[in-house]
Amino acid sequence: MADRDGGLKAADWRLFLQLLIPKLGVYVPGWPWHRQLSDCVVMFTNAPIHNVTDDTFLRNNGVPFWRLPAYSPDLKLIECVFNDLKVNIRNLVCM
């Protein structure tokens, strides 16, 4: 499903969601809070593979989700940490 340059396609994202849903606790409307399973929230960016069809898919399956804004200055600091982590891992693997 990934294209030649290794990028993911919308079908890869949908497959991931289909495999993820059975692992999540799903909110049941009308049940009291003490009877609800532990919920997880799926967070994702506005990448082209995360399309509106998948928003509907998640909503229809009772999965709470949060789409990050196009630019998230609050997440900028963590991106620097992730970049350093990737460099360190790449250096370890290439030794």
Side-chain angles (χ1 to χ4, degrees):
M1 286 187 202
D3 60 18
R4 282 192 332 213
D5 66 2
L8 296 177
K9 296 184 177 183
D12 298 317
W13 174 242
R14 174 58 69 92
L15 178 62
F16 170 76
L17 293 176
Q18 289 171 342
L19 296 172
L20 179 68
I21 287 174
K23 309 273 189 243
L24 299 174
V26 177
Y27 172 74
V28 181
W31 279 20
W33 281 110
H34 70 277
R35 296 205 53 218
Q36 297 289 340
L37 298 172
S38 297
D39 274 347
C40 293
V41 175
V42 176
M43 271 180 29
F44 51 92
T45 63
N46 281 315
I49 65 169
H50 306 146
N51 56 43
V52 176
T53 305
D54 295 318
D55 292 359
T56 304
F57 177 75
L58 290 170
R59 198 174 292 112
N60 289 344
N61 283 283
V63 177
F65 65 92
W66 184 43
R67 183 183 287 272
L68 296 173
Y71 175 68
S72 301
D74 295 336
L75 299 177
K76 185 165 177 38
L77 294 175
I78 196 68
E79 289 175 14
C80 295
V81 173
F82 287 148
N83 186 49
D84 290 345
L85 180 63
K86 287 190 288 187
V87 168
N88 288 336
I89 291 171
R90 192 175 302 120
N91 289 338
L92 289 172
V93 171
C94 295
M95 291 180 125

